[in-house]
Amino acid sequence: MGALEEVKDLAEAVARRRSLRLWDVEMGGAPGRALVRVLVDADGGVSLDTVAEVSEEISRGLDLRDPIGGKYTLEVSSPGIERSLNRPEHWALCKGQKVVVKTKERVVEDSHRIEGTIVEAAEDRAVLEREPGGERVDVPFGQVKTARTVFEWK
């Protein structure tokens, strides 16, 4: 098992114990100085105290297991109001929200960019409604380069 998988397993266990949802785990950074980013969420959001507690628990686990094998910086936060959609469950959790999607190939009107509201989400695709009562676009996840929710000020 690689370092990323070990970090994900640890973060998932911590999130589950605290009745949180593990949104994502990312690793990057320069050689010898890894950056580990863990995003946790819950219905109604997460407090700063919860984020601090999760960070402390994950940090202790990483120090004990040492999957990274060197120095690292750990960042724990919520995915935020405008969040990346990287897995099918993200799309399902954000059903009814407005999103911006960039695709690998042109999907709509000779464009790589689609804006709309998620009206359906399955294991391999989502359906976006471009405007209320308007055109619906089928978006296969295999075509998605990036996708994120869009916060609308009202």
Side-chain angles (χ1 to χ4, degrees), residues 8 12 30 40 52 59 62 77 85 125 129 140 145 149:
K8 281 182 181 178
E12 182 66 49
V40 293
S59 181
L62 290 175
S77 69
L85 307 176
R125 65 188 58 246
E129 188 173 73
K145 271 172 93 173
T149 61

Side-chain angles (χ1 to χ4, degrees), residues 1-9 27 65-68:
M1 182 183 307
L4 179 59
E5 291 78 24
E6 284 193 54
V7 173
K8 281 182 181 178
D9 285 350
M27 283 184 63
R65 294 181 183 187
D66 197 24
I68 298 166

Side-chain angles (χ1 to χ4, degrees), residues 39-51:
L39 304 174
V40 293
D41 196 21
D43 295 337
V46 292
S47 70
L48 288 176
D49 288 340
T50 299
V51 167

Side-chain angles (χ1 to χ4, degrees), residues 124-137:
D124 63 342
R125 65 188 58 246
V127 176
L128 304 182
E129 188 173 73
R130 298 193 63 209
E131 50 187 66
E135 174 191 9
R136 290 185 174 204
V137 179

Side-chain angles (χ1 to χ4, degrees), residues 67-122:
I68 298 166
K71 294 181 180 182
Y72 66 90
T73 299
L74 174 64
E75 292 179 2
V76 178
S77 69
S78 80
I81 294 174
E82 292 191 348
R83 53 191 60 195
S84 294
L85 307 176
N86 301 321
R87 300 192 309 256
E89 57 266 25
H90 292 166
W91 292 79
L93 287 164
C94 293
K95 190 174 172 182
Q97 293 185 36
K98 187 169 184 165
V99 295
V100 172
V101 180
K102 292 182 183 170
T103 58
K104 296 174 185 173
E105 295 178 18
R106 291 180 171 98
V107 176
V108 182
E109 298 170 1
D110 209 27
S111 177
H112 291 275
R113 181 182 164 95
I114 308 166
E115 287 187 47
T117 302
I118 302 170
V119 292
E120 293 177 34

Side-chain angles (χ1 to χ4, degrees), residues 19-54:
S19 300
L20 300 171
R21 181 172 32 254
L22 179 63
W23 191 264
D24 210 355
V25 175
E26 303 167 353
M27 283 184 63
R33 189 64 183 180
L35 172 63
V36 179
R37 184 173 292 127
V38 177
L39 304 174
V40 293
D41 196 21
D43 295 337
V46 292
S47 70
L48 288 176
D49 288 340
T50 299
V51 167
E53 292 165 2
V54 168

